[in-house]
């Protein structure tokens, strides 16, 4: 081989190598350029996907980007939904097939059965070539859909290995052709397109959903609002109706009621023209108690005629009528045009139905062309009309009732006045009558009836602590005046006596004339017998003055019996009886004196008769015996004497004390015999126990003082029984002394002279105690047990004051003092400390038979 050839062939080879290198470089530059463009395209795609663009704009942008990479005039994107097996051509640009597919249209696999798109999706691999060949490759027989293209290229879009669509470009002109590189580029882009599209679509779907949901919610909201409005309307309607119903009970006159009804109705429907009409009772007239009219018309009443109201009332039903209807009524003669008057566009009236039929109507009307009432309005007004009618009826009933009440009240008032006048007249007559009935015509004093009444009241007042005294008075020897000097003088004497008695008392005490010459004085609030005695003394003093009648001086005196109130009294008669008994005794004692009824009498007064018989028997049977109770010196308890106390050895009832029978014995006078019996026994027994320096005390009943020879009888008995007079002490009570002080003075004087000691028993319980004591020749005071009892019991203040007073009085009068009823050492010590020398009581010895005591 020649060098030149060698050189030439070497040169040719080098050139070839260079050319290849250049080609390689160019290819790599192209590649570089291609990948640069590709990269830019991808950036652009990513940018667009992130932008605000809507899907179509995005796809349009994508189309533009792909067109920069290859020929892509005809380009579409189909998205496949594997679950639903449907296809949507979300982007479709084709010069031949125009807008074959709408982006929102969804195609089923069946509809696309014969298309390259579906076949390609199912095939799953990119395809390139003439569309017919591709179709054939993909096993599509017959006619494929769409215009056949010269060059076709389709790449499926995948996501996680699943095919979710296809991207195609095609050309209808020859010479364009798609290379493998184009295919790679498109496949590469496809993935990103799917991303971007899906993102956008998702976003858009979300937006759609949000918009849909918003729309849905708005609809729901609107519906709810409508419901709320409906409810509100219903609630308002209901409250309004309730309000109307409640108006019936509200206070205020009818005008206020109608106004409120009008206001309430106005809230339900147009009530610019509103009235209430009532048929008069005689059904001759219509009254309009409430009438409001925007035209200013006024109506109060009119005769029954042919108006709309009358028409509706006749029908008794709700009437809703417009102008035409009313004209028809006028034409039919049902309504008279003149009476009807105003021409309303619409007239709505509902009847007010009462128990007696239609009472009237409630009416609304409209004069405005565009204001008509509906049947709903008619229903409402009908409802309201029931309420109004109810209320009206109730109000009418109330009013009727009120009127009735007022009438009744007036009648009661009139009648009361009449009665009061009658009562006044009757009362006056009664008072007169009462005065006549209750008073004695001669003296003008209250009579027996009146006195009994007052006494009755005084008896009842005892429960609240009231105590009274009843004085029974009798004019001494009145018969002499009456018979000797004539009735006129007798009457004059009685009048004078009455007047003088009246002078001696003050209200509320009253003087009454019981009968003839008998009078009574009721001293109310008179707890102390002494007060009653003082009044008695006052009266007797007042009577001491001569009575001048017809120039003649008459000497008048009265005897008085006194009964003090006590719990034992049950009836007026008991009081009168006791006072009478005392009066009797006063008279028996020699007139012109007063006697206080002894309470002890009362206690057994009931079975006095029974007892009397028993006592007589007991006396004969020797059942009355003396017990002896020692009287001691307080200083050394030495016995200074004994008090004889009577006991009844009752064969059935056992040993009885004086309380059981003495009152009866006193009342019957049997006491004298019993006493004498007892005195004798006591004296006989005393011989054995009463020493020469000791004393026997016996109790003297007041009865003995009536007999003038009592002292002599006693002295005789002493000598018979062998008791010295200085050994005997008689115990008398203040009552005994004061019932007839003169007689008592004489008797006691005799006994005193004979050397018999006299003790005042139960001292302190009497009435005039201290003032009378000095009148009698007393030797001893026996302080009553009631003053000794409280001593040493913490309540002794008053008692000890009295005991002290008695002790000092006794000292000044040189009297002995014996304290009765000493039961405790405290009492004994207290008495000792007060200077009391002698005492008697259970502490030293109880009453007991003579044999109990030491012999003298
Ligand atoms: P009087 O003359 O005040 O007699 C004292 C009464 O006090 C007696 O009641 C006597 O038993 C009671 N007595 C003595 N010490 C105490 C004492 O420490 N505590 C208490 N609680 N009582 C004591 P008696 O024997 O029931 O006699 C009641 C009254 O009957 C006598 O009160 C007297 O007024 C009258 N009486 C008694 N015997 C006769 C009598 O032969 N003839 C008459 N006419 N009256 C008599
Ligand atoms: Ca006594
Ligand atoms: Ca006594």
């Amino acid at each position: 081989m020649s060098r030149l050839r060698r050189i030439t062939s070497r040169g040719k080879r080098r050139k070839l190598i260079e050319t290849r290198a250049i080609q390689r470089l160019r290819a790599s530059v192209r590649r570089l350029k291609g990948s640069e463009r590709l990269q830019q395209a991808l950036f652009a795609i990513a940018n667009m996907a992130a932008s605000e663009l809507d899907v179509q704009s995005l796809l349009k942008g994508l189309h533009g980007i792909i067109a920069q990479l290859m020929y892509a005039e005809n380009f579409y994107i189909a998205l496949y939904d594997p679950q639903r097996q449907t296809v949507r051509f979300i982007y479709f640009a084709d010069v031949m097939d125009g807008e074959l597919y709408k982006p929102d249209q969804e195609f089923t696999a069946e509809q696309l059965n014969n298309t390259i798109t579906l076949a390609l999706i199912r095939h799953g691999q990119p395809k390139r070539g003439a569309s017919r060949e591709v179709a054939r490759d993909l096993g599509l027989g017959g006619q494929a859909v769409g215009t056949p293209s010269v060059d076709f290229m389709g790449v499926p879009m995948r996501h996680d290995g699943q095919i979710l669509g296809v991207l195609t470009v095609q050309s209808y002109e020859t010479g364009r052709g798609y290379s493998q590189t184009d295919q790679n580029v498109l496949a590469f882009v496809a993935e990103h397109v799917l991303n971007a599209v899906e993102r956008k679509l998702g976003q858009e779907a979300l937006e759609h959903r949000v918009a849909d949901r918003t729309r849905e919610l708005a609809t729901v909201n609107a519906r709810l609002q409508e419901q709320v409005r409906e409810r509100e309307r219903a609630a308002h309607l209901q409250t309004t109706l309730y309000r109307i119903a409640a108006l019936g009970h509200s206070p205020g006159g009818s005008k206020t009621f109608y106004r409120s009804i009008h206001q309430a109705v106005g809230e339900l429907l147009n009530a610019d023209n509103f009235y209430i009409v009532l048929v008069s009772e005689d059904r001759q007239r219509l009254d309009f108690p409430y009438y409001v009219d925007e035209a200013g018309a006024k109506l109060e009443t009119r005769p029954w005629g042919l108006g709309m109201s009358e028409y509706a009332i006749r029908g008794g039903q709700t009437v809703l009528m417009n102008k035409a209807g009313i004209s028809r009524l006028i034409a039919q003669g049902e309504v008279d045009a003149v009476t009807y008057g105003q021409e309303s566009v619409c007239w709505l009236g509902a009847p007010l139905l009462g128990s007696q039929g239609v009472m009237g109507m409630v009416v609304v009307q409209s004069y405005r062309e565009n204001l008509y009432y509906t049947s709903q309005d008619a229903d409402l007004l009908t409802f309201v009309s029931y309420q109004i009618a109810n209320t009206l009826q109730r109000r009418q009933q109330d009013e009727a009732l009120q009127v009735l009440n007022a009438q009744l009240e007036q009648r009661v008032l009139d009648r009361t006045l009449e009665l009061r006048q009658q009562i006044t007249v009757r009362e006056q007559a009664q008072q007169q009558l009462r005065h006549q009935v209750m008073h004695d015509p001669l003296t003008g004093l209250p009579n027996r009836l009146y006195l009994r009444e007052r006494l009755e009241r005084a008896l009842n007042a005892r429960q609240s602590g009231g105590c009274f005294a009843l004085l029974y008075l009798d004019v001494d020897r009145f018969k002499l005046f009456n018979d000797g000097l004539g009735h006129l003088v007798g009457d004059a004497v009685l009048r004078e006596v009455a007047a003088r008695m009246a002078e001696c008392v003050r209200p509320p005490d009253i003087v009454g004339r019981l009968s003839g010459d008998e009078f009574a004085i009721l001293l109310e609030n008179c707890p102390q017998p002494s007060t009653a005695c003082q009044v008695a003394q006052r009266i007797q003093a007042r009577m001491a003055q001569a009575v001048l009648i017809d120039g003649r001086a008459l000497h008048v005196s009265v005897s008085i019996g006194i009964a003090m109130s006590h719990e034992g009294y049950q009836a007026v008669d008991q009081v009168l009886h006791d006072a009478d008994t005392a009066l009797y005794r006063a008279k028996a004692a020699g007139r012109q004196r007063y006697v206080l009824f002894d309470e002890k009498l009362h206690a057994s007064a009931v079975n006095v008769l029974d007892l009397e018989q028993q006592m007589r028997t007991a006396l004969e049977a020797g059942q009355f015996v003396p017990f002896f109770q020692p009287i001691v010196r307080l200083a050394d308890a030495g016995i200074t004497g004994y008090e004889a106390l009577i006991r009844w050895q009752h064969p059935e009832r056992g040993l009885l004390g004086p309380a059981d029978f003495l009152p009866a014995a006193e009342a019957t006078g049997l006491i004298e015999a019993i006493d004498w019996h007892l005195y004798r026994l006591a004296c006989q027994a005393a011989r054995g126990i009463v020493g020469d320096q000791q004393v026997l005390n016996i109790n003297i009943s007041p009865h003995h003082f009536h007999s003038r020879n009592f002292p002599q009888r006693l002295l005789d008995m002493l000598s018979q029984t062998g008791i010295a007079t200085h050994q005997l002490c008689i115990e008398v009570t203040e009552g005994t002394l004061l019932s007839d002080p003169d007689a008592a003075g004489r008797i006691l004087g005799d006994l005193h002279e004979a050397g018999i000691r006299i003790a005042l028993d139960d001292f302190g319980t009497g009435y005039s105690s201290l003032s009378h004591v000095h009148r009698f020749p007393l030797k001893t005071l026996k302080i009553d047990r009631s003053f000794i009892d409280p001593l040493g019991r913490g309540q002794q203040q008053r008692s000890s004051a009295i005991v002290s007073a008695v002790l000092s009085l006794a000292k000044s009068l040189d009297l002995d003092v014996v304290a009765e009823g000493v039961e405790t050492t405290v009492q004994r010590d207290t008495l000792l400390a007060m200077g009391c020398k002698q005492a008697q009581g259970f502490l030293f010895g109880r009453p007991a038979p003579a044999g109990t005591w030491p012999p003298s």
Side-chain angles (χ1 to χ4, degrees):
M1 203 192 272
S2 69
R3 207 181 155 231
L4 185 66
R5 261 177 53 207
R6 254 194 271 145
I7 290 170
T8 308
S9 63
R10 227 193 271 153
K12 273 184 183 171
R13 229 172 46 219
R14 202 184 294 137
K15 210 163 185 168
L16 194 72
I17 289 167
E18 278 174 2
T19 309
R20 278 190 187 153
I22 285 167
Q23 274 174 346
R24 263 203 309 276
L25 274 173
R26 275 195 186 134
S28 85
V29 165
R30 257 201 322 273
R31 259 201 321 273
L32 274 174
K33 271 195 179 153
S35 70
E36 202 174 307
R37 269 198 320 211
L38 189 61
Q39 206 160 359
Q40 275 171 0
L42 289 179
F43 276 138
I45 290 171
N47 273 340
M48 270 192 305
S51 74
E52 297 278 287
L53 292 173
D54 59 89
V55 176
Q56 281 309 313
S57 308
L58 167 79
L59 296 175
K60 207 174 207 128
L62 275 178
H63 184 189
I65 290 165
I66 289 169
Q68 280 174 19
L69 298 174
M70 62 191 72
Y71 171 73
E73 205 173 355
N74 306 299
F75 168 76
Y76 69 83
I77 304 169
L79 284 189
Y80 177 64
D81 185 333
Q83 256 129 42
R84 298 154 57 87
Q85 299 207 350
T86 53
V87 174
R88 268 171 66 206
F89 295 88
I90 58 164
Y91 190 82
F92 194 88
D94 199 290
V95 288
M96 300 301 280
D97 291 337
E99 294 173 355
L100 187 64
Y101 302 109
K102 297 265 164 20
D104 288 340
Q105 222 173 342
E106 208 171 34
F107 297 94
T108 61
E110 220 147 77
Q111 287 171 310
L112 300 177
N113 215 5
N114 227 10
T115 58
I116 295 178
T117 309
L118 185 65
L120 201 60
I121 286 168
R122 284 184 175 154
H123 175 65
Q125 295 300 324
K127 274 286 175 198
R128 211 158 22 108
S131 66
R132 281 181 209 280
E133 281 163 37
V134 172
R136 198 173 47 246
D137 267 10
L138 290 170
L140 293 173
Q143 198 60 38
V145 177
T147 314
S149 55
V150 178
D151 283 301
F152 172 90
M153 178 166 70
V155 292
M157 295 189 288
R158 286 171 194 276
H159 191 262
D160 289 343
Q162 200 168 30
I163 302 196
L164 295 175
V166 57
L167 206 71
T168 66
V169 285
Q170 44 192 330
S171 155
Y172 298 107
E173 291 164 27
T174 45
R176 296 268 186 201
Y178 293 109
S179 63
Q180 178 64 45
T181 311
D182 290 335
Q183 184 184 317
N184 289 345
V185 167
L186 195 61
F188 190 72
V189 167
E191 258 174 61
H192 294 272
V193 166
L194 184 65
N195 269 344
V197 166
E198 276 197 331
R199 208 152 92 206
K200 249 322 176 216
L201 277 177
Q203 202 174 318
E204 238 179 44
L206 193 69
E207 273 167 20
H208 275 303
R209 268 212 305 285
V210 168
D212 284 352
R213 195 79 192 110
T214 309
R215 245 192 324 280
E216 255 171 51
L217 284 176
T219 322
V220 170
N221 187 31
R223 227 179 12 247
L224 277 176
Q225 269 179 1
E226 184 52 35
Q227 276 175 9
V228 166
R229 268 197 298 280
E230 192 59 42
R231 291 258 162 88
E232 273 174 359
R233 258 201 303 281
H236 178 69
L237 179 65
Q238 200 150 353
T239 26
T240 311
L241 295 179
Y242 275 143
R243 222 173 74 216
I244 291 172
L247 280 177
H249 301 285
S250 65
S254 323
K255 263 265 141 43
T256 330
F257 165 65
Y258 292 134
R259 200 170 303 124
S260 311
I261 286 277
H262 180 196
Q263 209 178 348
V265 170
E267 284 174 30
L268 302 176
L269 43 97
N270 181 292
D272 291 344
N273 304 293
F274 173 94
Y275 69 83
I276 286 168
V277 56
L278 297 175
V279 186
S280 69
E281 234 166 276
D282 55 7
R283 301 199 85 81
Q284 300 293 307
R285 225 177 50 245
L286 284 187
D287 295 325
F288 298 80
Y290 190 81
Y291 195 96
V292 170
D293 193 277
E294 53 184 349
K298 282 205 173 87
L299 202 47
E300 281 183 355
T301 180
R302 72 165 147 79
W304 179 269
L306 281 175
M308 272 303 284
S309 301
E310 286 91 335
Y311 167 76
I313 290 169
R314 280 201 305 278
Q317 274 173 354
T318 300
V319 171
L320 170 59
M321 213 160 257
N322 55 23
K323 212 183 246 173
I326 297 170
S327 300
R328 232 182 352 264
L329 288 180
I330 294 172
Q332 286 164 4
E334 293 270 15
V335 171
D336 170 43
V338 180
T339 315
Y340 165 53
Q342 335 97 300
E343 290 202 353
S344 41
V345 170
C346 193
W347 195 96
L348 171 59
L352 303 174
L353 293 169
S355 52
Q356 316 275 315
V358 183
M359 299 188 287
M361 300 289 291
V362 51
V363 178
V364 288
Q365 28 183 354
S366 142
Y367 301 133
R368 262 181 269 160
E369 282 304 335
N370 56 353
L371 185 76
Y372 287 96
Y373 294 110
T374 63
S375 60
Q376 200 190 345
D377 293 333
D379 286 346
L380 275 180
L381 197 66
T382 308
F383 178 88
V384 170
S385 74
Y386 294 150
Q387 304 300 332
I388 299 175
N390 268 346
T391 306
L392 272 182
Q393 260 191 322
R394 199 166 35 235
R395 278 182 173 259
Q396 277 172 0
Q397 281 163 4
D398 281 357
E399 267 165 27
L401 206 69
Q402 261 169 26
V403 170
L404 222 71
N405 273 342
Q407 283 174 353
L408 207 68
E409 241 164 66
Q410 188 53 47
R411 270 193 23 215
V412 169
L413 232 83
D414 293 348
R415 189 86 187 104
T416 310
L417 201 73
E418 224 172 87
L419 281 176
R420 202 166 287 156
Q421 284 163 349
Q422 282 179 13
I423 287 170
T424 315
V425 171
R426 219 170 273 178
E427 267 174 2
Q428 282 166 353
Q430 250 168 17
Q431 257 166 19
Q432 246 170 12
L433 205 68
R434 198 181 144 76
H435 190 83
Q436 278 168 16
V437 169
M438 295 295 199
H439 287 78
D440 159 46
L442 177 69
T443 58
L445 290 178
N447 61 14
R448 180 182 283 273
L449 209 66
Y450 188 100
L451 205 88
R452 286 183 70 94
E453 233 182 69
R454 290 289 298 267
L455 202 53
E456 182 93 50
R457 241 191 290 163
L459 272 177
N460 293 334
R462 278 174 313 170
Q463 276 128 13
S464 41
C467 27
F468 62 89
L470 181 71
L471 277 62
Y472 214 121
L473 309 95
D474 184 287
V475 180
D476 296 329
R477 293 183 303 266
F478 178 68
K479 236 169 112 60
L480 291 181
F481 300 121
N482 222 22
D483 297 351
L485 303 172
H487 287 294
L488 288 179
V489 173
D491 285 354
V493 167
L494 288 178
R495 271 198 294 271
E496 183 58 25
V497 166
R500 289 184 181 186
M501 282 181 188
E503 283 169 23
C504 294
V505 299
R506 278 189 306 266
D509 303 335
I510 55 157
V511 181
R513 183 179 171 213
L514 300 180
S515 66
D517 61 340
E518 280 182 351
F519 294 83
I521 295 175
L522 178 65
L523 301 177
E524 292 192 24
N525 196 12
C526 175
Q528 293 298 329
S530 55
T531 314
C533 292
Q534 273 161 19
V535 173
Q537 286 162 18
R538 212 183 303 147
I539 289 169
Q540 278 168 342
R542 182 72 184 83
M543 295 301 168
Q545 278 175 16
V547 179
L548 281 172
I549 295 168
D550 293 343
R552 214 194 307 250
L554 300 177
H555 293 277
V556 181
S557 67
V558 291
S559 295
I560 305 172
I562 304 170
M564 299 300 299
S565 69
H566 61 73
E567 279 142 32
Y569 282 132
Q570 304 287 334
V572 170
D573 282 326
Q574 290 176 308
V575 189
L576 285 169
H577 176 265
D578 286 354
D580 191 28
T581 305
L583 172 64
Y584 174 79
R585 278 201 253 150
K587 282 217 175 270
R591 304 190 165 83
Q592 204 174 346
R593 57 192 80 226
Y594 63 89
V595 169
L596 197 66
F597 182 77
D598 189 346
E599 278 182 26
K600 284 171 191 155
L601 261 185
H602 182 86
S604 57
V606 203
N607 48 7
V608 159
L609 287 177
D610 211 28
L611 258 184
E612 188 182 350
Q613 195 44 50
Q614 285 186 28
M615 284 190 294
R616 280 185 202 287
T617 320
L619 191 56
E620 273 168 28
Q623 289 170 8
F624 292 110
V625 293
F627 271 35
F628 296 89
Q629 186 181 30
I631 296 165
V632 302
R633 268 190 309 272
L634 273 172
D636 58 3
I639 298 174
T640 59
Y642 294 91
E643 178 176 3
L645 295 162
I646 191 168
R647 296 291 180 268
W648 180 358
Q649 290 282 3
H650 198 283
E652 287 135 31
R653 295 164 64 194
L655 194 68
L656 301 181
D660 294 323
F661 57 90
L662 267 198
E666 297 258 9
T668 55
L670 212 60
I671 185 69
E672 276 191 77
I674 295 175
D675 260 355
W676 282 119
H677 167 80
L678 192 97
Y679 296 159
R680 186 169 293 275
L681 288 183
C683 286
Q684 283 166 354
R687 279 220 310 267
I689 53 169
V690 177
D692 188 49
Q693 296 309 307
Q694 290 175 320
V695 181
L696 170 68
N697 285 31
I698 57 171
N699 291 284
I700 310 298
S701 149
H703 272 268
H704 297 295
F705 279 42
H706 295 319
S707 56
R708 188 63 193 87
N709 71 343
F710 172 73
Q712 191 51 55
R713 199 171 164 188
L714 196 64
L715 290 172
D716 289 348
M717 193 204 66
L718 285 182
S719 61
Q720 283 160 17
T721 52
I723 297 291
T725 51
H726 73 269
Q727 282 181 301
L728 188 74
C729 175
I730 59 163
E731 296 191 1
V732 293
T733 62
E734 290 162 77
T736 309
L737 298 183
L738 298 179
S739 78
D740 190 347
D742 295 344
R746 277 194 297 272
I747 289 173
L748 292 184
D750 289 354
L751 292 172
H752 175 66
E753 261 172 40
I756 292 175
R757 298 161 190 249
I758 299 156
L760 188 56
D761 206 355
D762 303 343
F763 186 71
T765 58
Y767 5 93
S768 43
S769 311
L770 296 173
S771 57
H772 282 73
V773 163
H774 70 277
R775 282 177 58 184
F776 304 104
L778 302 177
K779 173 86 175 99
T780 307
L781 294 181
K782 295 189 80 177
I783 303 179
D784 191 69
R785 186 155 55 89
S786 57
F787 299 102
I788 308 305
D789 210 35
L791 292 185
R793 283 204 202 174
Q795 42 178 199
Q796 73 271 38
Q797 224 168 16
R798 202 181 98 87
S799 299
S800 59
I802 291 172
V803 174
S804 290
V806 172
L807 286 170
S808 58
L809 171 92
K811 201 170 182 186
S812 68
L813 293 177
D814 196 20
L815 296 173
D816 294 340
V817 172
V818 176
E820 290 191 298
V822 177
E823 293 180 346
T824 67
T825 50
V826 178
Q827 288 168 342
R828 181 195 62 194
D829 296 345
T830 311
L831 286 164
L832 256 178
M834 292 169 99
C836 183
K837 299 256 163 15
Q838 277 180 287
Q840 184 182 348
F842 293 170
L843 182 66
F844 311 107
R846 288 180 179 263
T852 318
W853 306 113
S856 53

